[in-house]
Amino acid sequence: MQETTLKKRYIFKLLANFISALIGAILVAIVPKALGPVAYGQFIYLQEFFIKFIGFLDMGSSIAFFTKLSAKQSRKELISFYFLFSLLIFVLLFLFILLGYYFEFLSVFVPDIPIFYIFLGLFFGFFTWFTQVYTKIADAYALTVSYEIIKIFHKIITLFLLLFFIYYLSFDLELYFYFNYISLVSFLLVITYLFIKKEIFKNILNSQFSILNLSKEFIAYCHPLLVYSIVGLVSGFFQIWLLQKVAGSEQTGYYGLAYGLAAMCFLFTSAMTPIITREFSKSYEEKDFENMRKLFYRYIPMLYSIAAFFSVFISIQSENVLAIFTDEKFKDAYLVLVLMAFYPIHQTYGQLSGSIFYAASQTKLYRNIGIFSALLSVLFAFTFIYIFELGAVGLALTMLIVQVIGTNIQLYFNSKLLKLNIKYFIFHQMYSILFFTLIAIFVSKAIDIENSIIEFLFSGFLYTILVILFSYIFPQVFATNRDEIKEQFYKVKEYVTKK
């Protein structure tokens, strides 16, 4: 199979994520308002609950699946095996909810939410996770371009379907779940057709493999993550449960709204994550540590700054963002958004640094860092949410602080493995944030327009222009230099002239 270039795959991944960001912005603008803080909070809680539960049952196996399939694409038996494992995950999930309802202990885990919505959330959570498995298969076989084109058109079509549901039907939480089912299942069917056409699924039903041997292979890879998965489940569940129990669905709704808006910033850098992960896996398989070093120096600081560019602006413009996307019912989410907007910045480090541990099979070390971070999360969550009663603000603070600490611990060990200069990366983190914050604050003070949308757009335009100008003066912010900037400028100029 002829592979498309890294740059081409990234461009299509970025385009798809840009479309996703726009559609995500529209969803945030209409869904919370249509459902209201309480119903939206219930949806967010169920989403978080099942994501964390399935993440526990996954135990890092999906990353192992992607890493092994990327390293050797001819191993079709991995796909057959992992589909069986996915079925097992669904059965275990269903049994837990069924037994929890029958023996009346489910309300301890899912407080103040009707059982009907819990079952709806179960199917939604599984289909969401299984879609991510399909994404890993597409990235492993370098089908990023085809996959992302389908993803773009599918998101546009389902957006119109959602608008129909909201404005022409009696839209409520139940109907919102049904919309998600239609969206997820239809996407899986289309991608299944793509995989069949590209012969990825060829002979997977007839492939001869030992379930026992593959189970041992995955267990050997993932068993260090078992304790981490348990601790991670307890920690993650405890945080969202504590927020729901102490502060209620409304505060959970504020958190969900802020997280949804902040996540749009991460879409621009997450496009590169699976692609770089794949390159790390291949390079490690070939023991090409020099290429791994080049990838790390080139892309980690650059993607960090791209995330910071969006995140800092959203944080400073939080008041306008809430005025544009929500109504008065969500005005108390302001401070939550100010904090959560910074979360995607170090999430970039977390995703990309984490991929090094998987590529190098250092899952024990990754587990230990994860356990430390999870325990730290419990401590901070209890302090901020329960003792200080900060509600969604407390959860945002917890996530932000632990993310910064955890990702820099990962960076330390990656620096030792790849012989990197850790001081360069830490210093880059600090002056990049300062760079964007100073520009964003200047813009917010310079522009004062009564209309929130117009002020936001003008501020964004001025902010972008100033960042471009000052990036030429301080190119190290984006891990580049003036010669590279000039070269790219001339390429764009030449392309436009030809057109």
Side-chain angles (χ1 to χ4, degrees):
M1 185 184 296
Q2 186 176 5
E3 297 187 13
T4 51
T5 64
L6 187 67
K7 185 181 288 185
K8 186 178 180 182
R9 281 185 280 145
Y10 174 65
I11 289 170
F12 273 91
K13 198 88 172 174
L14 182 61
L15 178 62
N17 280 9
F18 180 72
I19 299 294
S20 296
L22 289 176
I23 293 174
I26 296 171
L27 293 180
V28 171
I30 58 178
V31 172
K33 282 194 289 188
L35 291 176
V38 175
Y40 186 65
Q42 290 176 333
F43 173 79
I44 292 298
Y45 183 81
L46 289 171
Q47 179 179 257
E48 290 289 312
F49 174 77
F50 284 108
I51 284 173
K52 286 171 172 56
F53 201 148
I54 295 173
F56 163 69
L57 296 175
D58 181 315
M59 288 185 290
S61 62
S62 59
I63 300 294
F65 169 66
F66 172 61
T67 304
K68 292 176 182 295
L69 197 60
S70 296
K72 195 172 182 181
Q73 299 172 359
S74 60
R75 297 190 65 187
K76 296 291 182 72
E77 72 275 9
L78 289 170
I79 300 175
S80 305
F81 173 79
Y82 205 74
F83 278 6
L84 290 174
F85 181 72
S86 300
L87 181 62
L88 176 63
I89 284 180
F90 176 78
V91 171
L92 292 174
L93 196 65
F94 190 85
L95 284 175
F96 175 81
I97 299 302
L98 200 63
L99 292 173
Y101 177 66
Y102 183 78
F103 290 105
E104 299 181 350
F105 64 78
L106 190 60
S107 60
V108 175
F109 297 96
V110 191
D112 305 321
I113 298 178
I115 185 63
F116 180 63
Y117 290 147
I118 296 173
F119 274 105
L120 290 178
L122 184 156
F123 286 96
F124 167 72
F126 178 78
F127 285 136
T128 300
W129 173 79
F130 197 65
T131 302
Q132 294 167 2
V133 173
Y134 263 44
T135 303
K136 288 178 171 62
I137 295 173
D139 286 330
Y141 282 93
L143 287 176
T144 307
V145 174
S146 302
Y147 185 87
E148 297 303 334
I149 289 173
I150 293 171
K151 188 176 176 181
I152 289 169
F153 282 104
H154 181 265
K155 280 192 172 293
I156 293 171
I157 292 168
T158 52
L159 173 61
F160 284 108
L161 178 64
L162 178 61
L163 293 174
F164 172 77
F165 269 50
I166 291 175
Y167 294 109
Y168 292 96
L169 301 176
S170 300
F171 190 71
D172 56 11
L173 184 54
E174 180 182 347
L175 209 58
Y176 187 47
F177 274 118
Y178 293 151
F179 157 76
N180 280 291
Y181 293 162
I182 295 170
S183 175
L184 291 167
V185 173
S186 62
F187 182 70
L188 288 171
L189 289 173
V190 173
I191 298 302
T192 300
Y193 174 76
L194 172 68
F195 289 164
I196 292 172
K197 189 177 178 181
K198 297 291 184 179
E199 299 187 344
I200 291 173
F201 283 173
K202 186 178 181 181
N203 298 324
I204 64 166
L205 295 176
N206 301 321
S207 61
Q208 299 289 325
F209 65 92
S210 168
I211 293 178
L212 182 61
N213 288 340
L214 278 176
S215 296
K216 288 179 179 178
E217 183 180 341
F218 271 77
I219 289 170
Y221 189 98
C222 298
H223 87 273
L225 298 174
L226 177 61
V227 177
Y228 169 52
S229 296
I230 295 171
V231 175
L233 170 71
V234 174
S235 171
F237 171 72
F238 174 76
Q239 292 172 64
I240 194 70
W241 174 84
L242 191 66
L243 180 64
Q244 176 80 4
K245 193 74 177 177
V246 173
S249 294
E250 190 172 42
Q251 284 290 319
T252 306
Y254 294 158
Y255 157 74
L257 174 70
Y259 185 85
L261 288 166
M264 289 189 287
C265 303
F266 184 61
L267 286 171
F268 295 93
T269 53
S270 64
M272 202 65 173
T273 303
I275 298 171
I276 294 297
T277 301
R278 183 176 183 275
E279 298 304 314
F280 278 145
S281 299
K282 289 184 68 179
S283 296
Y284 188 81
E285 186 80 11
E286 298 163 3
K287 302 302 176 185
D288 188 355
F289 290 101
E290 183 58 34
N291 188 50
M292 292 179 76
R293 272 192 291 273
K294 286 180 181 177
L295 287 170
F296 207 96
Y297 271 112
R298 177 64 175 170
Y299 290 107
I300 305 290
M302 180 188 293
L303 293 172
Y304 175 88
S305 291
I306 291 172
F309 167 78
F310 291 102
S311 294
V312 170
F313 180 72
I314 293 298
S315 179
I316 301 300
Q317 293 285 327
S318 289
E319 193 172 344
N320 284 329
V321 171
L322 289 175
I324 294 167
F325 290 114
T326 64
D327 53 23
E328 282 295 309
K329 290 181 288 186
F330 287 91
K331 62 180 174 61
D332 291 336
Y334 168 72
L335 189 53
V336 188
L337 180 57
V338 170
L339 295 169
M340 281 303 300
F342 281 91
Y343 185 72
I345 302 176
H346 279 84
Q347 195 173 10
T348 301
Y349 262 94
Q351 292 278 347
L352 293 169
S353 291
S355 67
I356 297 285
F357 291 97
Y358 283 107
S361 297
Q362 291 187 326
T363 48
K364 287 184 179 179
L365 179 56
Y366 185 75
R367 172 202 64 190
N368 295 339
I369 297 170
I371 290 173
F372 173 75
S373 298
L375 294 175
L376 209 57
S377 295
V378 171
L379 176 64
F380 280 123
F382 184 79
T383 303
F384 293 139
I385 299 173
Y386 185 77
I387 296 178
F388 293 138
E389 298 183 348
L390 295 177
V393 171
L395 183 54
L397 277 171
T398 298
M399 294 174 66
L400 194 58
I401 294 170
V402 174
Q403 178 82 317
V404 172
I405 295 172
T407 51
N408 277 290
I409 294 173
Q410 288 182 357
L411 178 63
Y412 168 77
F413 286 103
N414 283 334
S415 298
K416 289 184 68 177
L417 174 69
L418 299 177
K419 295 180 174 59
L420 306 170
N421 181 6
I422 190 172
K423 291 180 182 178
Y424 164 76
F425 291 98
I426 292 175
F427 186 52
H428 176 267
Q429 289 178 42
M430 293 188 291
Y431 69 66
S432 295
I433 296 290
L434 181 63
F435 175 83
F436 293 112
T437 301
L438 290 175
I439 295 175
I441 290 174
F442 170 77
V443 169
S444 69
K445 300 295 183 183
I447 297 179
D448 184 15
I449 303 172
E450 190 173 340
N451 186 291
S452 297
I453 297 176
I454 296 174
E455 182 177 327
F456 181 78
L457 292 174
F458 269 95
S459 298
F461 177 75
L462 180 58
Y463 174 72
T464 304
I465 295 297
L466 290 175
V467 167
I468 292 171
L469 291 174
F470 282 100
S471 293
Y472 184 76
I473 301 172
F474 306 103
Q476 61 270 29
V477 170
F478 286 98
T480 186
N481 54 60
R482 292 192 184 101
D483 290 334
E484 283 188 346
I485 294 173
K486 286 178 183 177
E487 185 182 343
Q488 293 301 320
F489 174 77
Y490 288 131
K491 281 183 179 180
V492 172
K493 186 179 178 181
E494 183 181 349
Y495 178 80
V496 173
T497 305
K498 284 182 180 179
K499 287 290 181 179

mmCIF file with all atom_site columns, all heavy atoms in Angstrom, residues 252-269:
data_model
loop_
_atom_site.group_PDB
_atom_site.id
_atom_site.type_symbol
_atom_site.label_atom_id
_atom_site.label_alt_id
_atom_site.label_comp_id
_atom_site.label_asym_id
_atom_site.label_entity_id
_atom_site.label_seq_id
_atom_site.pdbx_PDB_ins_code
_atom_site.Cartn_x
_atom_site.Cartn_y
_atom_site.Cartn_z
_atom_site.occupancy
_atom_site.B_iso_or_equiv
_atom_site.pdbx_formal_charge
_atom_site.auth_seq_id
_atom_site.auth_comp_id
_atom_site.auth_asym_id
_atom_site.auth_atom_id
_atom_site.pdbx_PDB_model_num
ATOM 1   N N   . THR A 1 252 ? -21.944 20.469 36.949 1.00 0.00 ? 252 THR A N   1
ATOM 2   C CA  . THR A 1 252 ? -21.408 19.506 35.985 1.00 0.00 ? 252 THR A CA  1
ATOM 3   C C   . THR A 1 252 ? -21.618 20.020 34.570 1.00 0.00 ? 252 THR A C   1
ATOM 4   O O   . THR A 1 252 ? -20.772 19.844 33.691 1.00 0.00 ? 252 THR A O   1
ATOM 5   C CB  . THR A 1 252 ? -22.075 18.126 36.163 1.00 0.00 ? 252 THR A CB  1
ATOM 6   O OG1 . THR A 1 252 ? -21.957 17.701 37.525 1.00 0.00 ? 252 THR A OG1 1
ATOM 7   C CG2 . THR A 1 252 ? -21.418 17.086 35.259 1.00 0.00 ? 252 THR A CG2 1
ATOM 8   N N   . GLY A 1 253 ? -22.766 20.673 34.355 1.00 0.00 ? 253 GLY A N   1
ATOM 9   C CA  . GLY A 1 253 ? -23.056 21.282 33.054 1.00 0.00 ? 253 GLY A CA  1
ATOM 10  C C   . GLY A 1 253 ? -22.082 22.402 32.729 1.00 0.00 ? 253 GLY A C   1
ATOM 11  O O   . GLY A 1 253 ? -21.635 22.539 31.581 1.00 0.00 ? 253 GLY A O   1
ATOM 12  N N   . TYR A 1 254 ? -21.744 23.208 33.719 1.00 0.00 ? 254 TYR A N   1
ATOM 13  C CA  . TYR A 1 254 ? -20.759 24.290 33.516 1.00 0.00 ? 254 TYR A CA  1
ATOM 14  C C   . TYR A 1 254 ? -19.401 23.704 33.122 1.00 0.00 ? 254 TYR A C   1
ATOM 15  O O   . TYR A 1 254 ? -18.735 24.206 32.216 1.00 0.00 ? 254 TYR A O   1
ATOM 16  C CB  . TYR A 1 254 ? -20.592 25.116 34.794 1.00 0.00 ? 254 TYR A CB  1
ATOM 17  C CG  . TYR A 1 254 ? -21.809 25.904 35.213 1.00 0.00 ? 254 TYR A CG  1
ATOM 18  C CD1 . TYR A 1 254 ? -21.978 26.322 36.529 1.00 0.00 ? 254 TYR A CD1 1
ATOM 19  C CD2 . TYR A 1 254 ? -22.804 26.241 34.290 1.00 0.00 ? 254 TYR A CD2 1
ATOM 20  C CE1 . TYR A 1 254 ? -23.089 27.048 36.925 1.00 0.00 ? 254 TYR A CE1 1
ATOM 21  C CE2 . TYR A 1 254 ? -23.927 26.961 34.677 1.00 0.00 ? 254 TYR A CE2 1
ATOM 22  C CZ  . TYR A 1 254 ? -24.066 27.361 35.998 1.00 0.00 ? 254 TYR A CZ  1
ATOM 23  O OH  . TYR A 1 254 ? -25.169 28.078 36.374 1.00 0.00 ? 254 TYR A OH  1
ATOM 24  N N   . TYR A 1 255 ? -19.016 22.644 33.857 1.00 0.00 ? 255 TYR A N   1
ATOM 25  C CA  . TYR A 1 255 ? -17.748 21.991 33.539 1.00 0.00 ? 255 TYR A CA  1
ATOM 26  C C   . TYR A 1 255 ? -17.770 21.438 32.111 1.00 0.00 ? 255 TYR A C   1
ATOM 27  O O   . TYR A 1 255 ? -16.815 21.604 31.347 1.00 0.00 ? 255 TYR A O   1
ATOM 28  C CB  . TYR A 1 255 ? -17.475 20.861 34.540 1.00 0.00 ? 255 TYR A CB  1
ATOM 29  C CG  . TYR A 1 255 ? -16.524 19.814 34.009 1.00 0.00 ? 255 TYR A CG  1
ATOM 30  C CD1 . TYR A 1 255 ? -15.161 20.069 33.908 1.00 0.00 ? 255 TYR A CD1 1
ATOM 31  C CD2 . TYR A 1 255 ? -17.005 18.573 33.576 1.00 0.00 ? 255 TYR A CD2 1
ATOM 32  C CE1 . TYR A 1 255 ? -14.292 19.113 33.395 1.00 0.00 ? 255 TYR A CE1 1
ATOM 33  C CE2 . TYR A 1 255 ? -16.149 17.616 33.069 1.00 0.00 ? 255 TYR A CE2 1
ATOM 34  C CZ  . TYR A 1 255 ? -14.797 17.895 32.977 1.00 0.00 ? 255 TYR A CZ  1
ATOM 35  O OH  . TYR A 1 255 ? -13.942 16.955 32.465 1.00 0.00 ? 255 TYR A OH  1
ATOM 36  N N   . GLY A 1 256 ? -18.870 20.762 31.757 1.00 0.00 ? 256 GLY A N   1
ATOM 37  C CA  . GLY A 1 256 ? -18.986 20.172 30.419 1.00 0.00 ? 256 GLY A CA  1
ATOM 38  C C   . GLY A 1 256 ? -18.922 21.213 29.317 1.00 0.00 ? 256 GLY A C   1
ATOM 39  O O   . GLY A 1 256 ? -18.285 21.007 28.280 1.00 0.00 ? 256 GLY A O   1
ATOM 40  N N   . LEU A 1 257 ? -19.580 22.338 29.545 1.00 0.00 ? 257 LEU A N   1
ATOM 41  C CA  . LEU A 1 257 ? -19.565 23.426 28.573 1.00 0.00 ? 257 LEU A CA  1
ATOM 42  C C   . LEU A 1 257 ? -18.150 23.977 28.403 1.00 0.00 ? 257 LEU A C   1
ATOM 43  O O   . LEU A 1 257 ? -17.664 24.141 27.276 1.00 0.00 ? 257 LEU A O   1
ATOM 44  C CB  . LEU A 1 257 ? -20.498 24.549 29.031 1.00 0.00 ? 257 LEU A CB  1
ATOM 45  C CG  . LEU A 1 257 ? -20.490 25.824 28.177 1.00 0.00 ? 257 LEU A CG  1
ATOM 46  C CD1 . LEU A 1 257 ? -21.143 25.574 26.824 1.00 0.00 ? 257 LEU A CD1 1
ATOM 47  C CD2 . LEU A 1 257 ? -21.190 26.967 28.901 1.00 0.00 ? 257 LEU A CD2 1
ATOM 48  N N   . ALA A 1 258 ? -17.480 24.259 29.525 1.00 0.00 ? 258 ALA A N   1
ATOM 49  C CA  . ALA A 1 258 ? -16.121 24.810 29.483 1.00 0.00 ? 258 ALA A CA  1
ATOM 50  C C   . ALA A 1 258 ? -15.155 23.824 28.826 1.00 0.00 ? 258 ALA A C   1
ATOM 51  O O   . ALA A 1 258 ? -14.305 24.212 28.019 1.00 0.00 ? 258 ALA A O   1
ATOM 52  C CB  . ALA A 1 258 ? -15.643 25.159 30.899 1.00 0.00 ? 258 ALA A CB  1
ATOM 53  N N   . TYR A 1 259 ? -15.301 22.551 29.170 1.00 0.00 ? 259 TYR A N   1
ATOM 54  C CA  . TYR A 1 259 ? -14.424 21.538 28.589 1.00 0.00 ? 259 TYR A CA  1
ATOM 55  C C   . TYR A 1 259 ? -14.649 21.410 27.079 1.00 0.00 ? 259 TYR A C   1
ATOM 56  O O   . TYR A 1 259 ? -13.700 21.278 26.303 1.00 0.00 ? 259 TYR A O   1
ATOM 57  C CB  . TYR A 1 259 ? -14.657 20.184 29.258 1.00 0.00 ? 259 TYR A CB  1
ATOM 58  C CG  . TYR A 1 259 ? -13.696 19.116 28.788 1.00 0.00 ? 259 TYR A CG  1
ATOM 59  C CD1 . TYR A 1 259 ? -12.446 18.980 29.376 1.00 0.00 ? 259 TYR A CD1 1
ATOM 60  C CD2 . TYR A 1 259 ? -14.042 18.245 27.757 1.00 0.00 ? 259 TYR A CD2 1
ATOM 61  C CE1 . TYR A 1 259 ? -11.550 18.019 28.944 1.00 0.00 ? 259 TYR A CE1 1
ATOM 62  C CE2 . TYR A 1 259 ? -13.155 17.278 27.313 1.00 0.00 ? 259 TYR A CE2 1
ATOM 63  C CZ  . TYR A 1 259 ? -11.921 17.161 27.919 1.00 0.00 ? 259 TYR A CZ  1
ATOM 64  O OH  . TYR A 1 259 ? -11.041 16.206 27.478 1.00 0.00 ? 259 TYR A OH  1
ATOM 65  N N   . GLY A 1 260 ? -15.922 21.477 26.662 1.00 0.00 ? 260 GLY A N   1
ATOM 66  C CA  . GLY A 1 260 ? -16.253 21.395 25.239 1.00 0.00 ? 260 GLY A CA  1
ATOM 67  C C   . GLY A 1 260 ? -15.665 22.551 24.448 1.00 0.00 ? 260 GLY A C   1
ATOM 68  O O   . GLY A 1 260 ? -15.140 22.362 23.344 1.00 0.00 ? 260 GLY A O   1
ATOM 69  N N   . LEU A 1 261 ? -15.740 23.757 25.007 1.00 0.00 ? 261 LEU A N   1
ATOM 70  C CA  . LEU A 1 261 ? -15.163 24.928 24.345 1.00 0.00 ? 261 LEU A CA  1
ATOM 71  C C   . LEU A 1 261 ? -13.631 24.848 24.323 1.00 0.00 ? 261 LEU A C   1
ATOM 72  O O   . LEU A 1 261 ? -12.994 25.165 23.315 1.00 0.00 ? 261 LEU A O   1
ATOM 73  C CB  . LEU A 1 261 ? -15.613 26.210 25.062 1.00 0.00 ? 261 LEU A CB  1
ATOM 74  C CG  . LEU A 1 261 ? -17.082 26.604 24.874 1.00 0.00 ? 261 LEU A CG  1
ATOM 75  C CD1 . LEU A 1 261 ? -17.484 27.675 25.890 1.00 0.00 ? 261 LEU A CD1 1
ATOM 76  C CD2 . LEU A 1 261 ? -17.339 27.093 23.453 1.00 0.00 ? 261 LEU A CD2 1
ATOM 77  N N   . ALA A 1 262 ? -13.052 24.406 25.437 1.00 0.00 ? 262 ALA A N   1
ATOM 78  C CA  . ALA A 1 262 ? -11.592 24.303 25.508 1.00 0.00 ? 262 ALA A CA  1
ATOM 79  C C   . ALA A 1 262 ? -11.065 23.216 24.571 1.00 0.00 ? 262 ALA A C   1
ATOM 80  O O   . ALA A 1 262 ? -9.994  23.371 23.968 1.00 0.00 ? 262 ALA A O   1
ATOM 81  C CB  . ALA A 1 262 ? -11.162 24.003 26.946 1.00 0.00 ? 262 ALA A CB  1
ATOM 82  N N   . ALA A 1 263 ? -11.816 22.136 24.434 1.00 0.00 ? 263 ALA A N   1
ATOM 83  C CA  . ALA A 1 263 ? -11.375 21.012 23.604 1.00 0.00 ? 263 ALA A CA  1
ATOM 84  C C   . ALA A 1 263 ? -11.212 21.406 22.144 1.00 0.00 ? 263 ALA A C   1
ATOM 85  O O   . ALA A 1 263 ? -10.441 20.782 21.407 1.00 0.00 ? 263 ALA A O   1
ATOM 86  C CB  . ALA A 1 263 ? -12.360 19.849 23.728 1.00 0.00 ? 263 ALA A CB  1
ATOM 87  N N   . MET A 1 264 ? -11.939 22.438 21.714 1.00 0.00 ? 264 MET A N   1
ATOM 88  C CA  . MET A 1 264 ? -11.813 22.894 20.321 1.00 0.00 ? 264 MET A CA  1
ATOM 89  C C   . MET A 1 264 ? -10.392 23.382 20.038 1.00 0.00 ? 264 MET A C   1
ATOM 90  O O   . MET A 1 264 ? -9.909  23.280 18.913 1.00 0.00 ? 264 MET A O   1
ATOM 91  C CB  . MET A 1 264 ? -12.834 23.996 20.027 1.00 0.00 ? 264 MET A CB  1
ATOM 92  C CG  . MET A 1 264 ? -14.270 23.493 19.952 1.00 0.00 ? 264 MET A CG  1
ATOM 93  S SD  . MET A 1 264 ? -15.407 24.744 19.344 1.00 0.00 ? 264 MET A SD  1
ATOM 94  C CE  . MET A 1 264 ? -15.500 25.825 20.756 1.00 0.00 ? 264 MET A CE  1
ATOM 95  N N   . CYS A 1 265 ? -9.726  23.913 21.062 1.00 0.00 ? 265 CYS A N   1
ATOM 96  C CA  . CYS A 1 265 ? -8.331  24.365 20.897 1.00 0.00 ? 265 CYS A CA  1
ATOM 97  C C   . CYS A 1 265 ? -7.415  23.181 20.642 1.00 0.00 ? 265 CYS A C   1
ATOM 98  O O   . CYS A 1 265 ? -6.456  23.279 19.874 1.00 0.00 ? 265 CYS A O   1
ATOM 99  C CB  . CYS A 1 265 ? -7.868  25.109 22.149 1.00 0.00 ? 265 CYS A CB  1
ATOM 100 S SG  . CYS A 1 265 ? -8.878  26.529 22.597 1.00 0.00 ? 265 CYS A SG  1
ATOM 101 N N   . PHE A 1 266 ? -7.708  22.046 21.263 1.00 0.00 ? 266 PHE A N   1
ATOM 102 C CA  . PHE A 1 266 ? -6.871  20.863 21.130 1.00 0.00 ? 266 PHE A CA  1
ATOM 103 C C   . PHE A 1 266 ? -7.038  20.182 19.773 1.00 0.00 ? 266 PHE A C   1
ATOM 104 O O   . PHE A 1 266 ? -6.158  19.458 19.316 1.00 0.00 ? 266 PHE A O   1
ATOM 105 C CB  . PHE A 1 266 ? -7.195  19.873 22.247 1.00 0.00 ? 266 PHE A CB  1
ATOM 106 C CG  . PHE A 1 266 ? -6.321  18.664 22.262 1.00 0.00 ? 266 PHE A CG  1
ATOM 107 C CD1 . PHE A 1 266 ? -4.950  18.782 22.431 1.00 0.00 ? 266 PHE A CD1 1
ATOM 108 C CD2 . PHE A 1 266 ? -6.856  17.398 22.101 1.00 0.00 ? 266 PHE A CD2 1
ATOM 109 C CE1 . PHE A 1 266 ? -4.127  17.660 22.448 1.00 0.00 ? 266 PHE A CE1 1
ATOM 110 C CE2 . PHE A 1 266 ? -6.053  16.278 22.114 1.00 0.00 ? 266 PHE A CE2 1
ATOM 111 C CZ  . PHE A 1 266 ? -4.683  16.409 22.301 1.00 0.00 ? 266 PHE A CZ  1
ATOM 112 N N   . LEU A 1 267 ? -8.158  20.439 19.094 1.00 0.00 ? 267 LEU A N   1
ATOM 113 C CA  . LEU A 1 267 ? -8.416  19.802 17.806 1.00 0.00 ? 267 LEU A CA  1
ATOM 114 C C   . LEU A 1 267 ? -7.322  20.107 16.790 1.00 0.00 ? 267 LEU A C   1
ATOM 115 O O   . LEU A 1 267 ? -7.002  19.283 15.940 1.00 0.00 ? 267 LEU A O   1
ATOM 116 C CB  . LEU A 1 267 ? -9.774  20.247 17.254 1.00 0.00 ? 267 LEU A CB  1
ATOM 117 C CG  . LEU A 1 267 ? -11.013 19.655 17.941 1.00 0.00 ? 267 LEU A CG  1
ATOM 118 C CD1 . LEU A 1 267 ? -12.270 20.347 17.454 1.00 0.00 ? 267 LEU A CD1 1
ATOM 119 C CD2 . LEU A 1 267 ? -11.108 18.163 17.700 1.00 0.00 ? 267 LEU A CD2 1
ATOM 120 N N   . PHE A 1 268 ? -6.736  21.293 16.875 1.00 0.00 ? 268 PHE A N   1
ATOM 121 C CA  . PHE A 1 268 ? -5.739  21.693 15.888 1.00 0.00 ? 268 PHE A CA  1
ATOM 122 C C   . PHE A 1 268 ? -4.406  20.965 16.083 1.00 0.00 ? 268 PHE A C   1
ATOM 123 O O   . PHE A 1 268 ? -3.662  20.770 15.136 1.00 0.00 ? 268 PHE A O   1
ATOM 124 C CB  . PHE A 1 268 ? -5.521  23.213 15.944 1.00 0.00 ? 268 PHE A CB  1
ATOM 125 C CG  . PHE A 1 268 ? -6.747  23.986 15.538 1.00 0.00 ? 268 PHE A CG  1
ATOM 126 C CD1 . PHE A 1 268 ? -7.654  24.420 16.483 1.00 0.00 ? 268 PHE A CD1 1
ATOM 127 C CD2 . PHE A 1 268 ? -6.991  24.262 14.203 1.00 0.00 ? 268 PHE A CD2 1
ATOM 128 C CE1 . PHE A 1 268 ? -8.793  25.131 16.112 1.00 0.00 ? 268 PHE A CE1 1
ATOM 129 C CE2 . PHE A 1 268 ? -8.121  24.974 13.819 1.00 0.00 ? 268 PHE A CE2 1
ATOM 130 C CZ  . PHE A 1 268 ? -9.022  25.403 14.777 1.00 0.00 ? 268 PHE A CZ  1
ATOM 131 N N   . THR A 1 269 ? -4.108  20.571 17.309 1.00 0.00 ? 269 THR A N   1
ATOM 132 C CA  . THR A 1 269 ? -2.859  19.840 17.555 1.00 0.00 ? 269 THR A CA  1
ATOM 133 C C   . THR A 1 269 ? -3.083  18.336 17.600 1.00 0.00 ? 269 THR A C   1
ATOM 134 O O   . THR A 1 269 ? -2.177  17.571 17.275 1.00 0.00 ? 269 THR A O   1
ATOM 135 C CB  . THR A 1 269 ? -2.219  20.298 18.877 1.00 0.00 ? 269 THR A CB  1
ATOM 136 O OG1 . THR A 1 269 ? -3.182  20.196 19.931 1.00 0.00 ? 269 THR A OG1 1
ATOM 137 C CG2 . THR A 1 269 ? -1.754  21.730 18.777 1.00 0.00 ? 269 THR A CG2 1
#
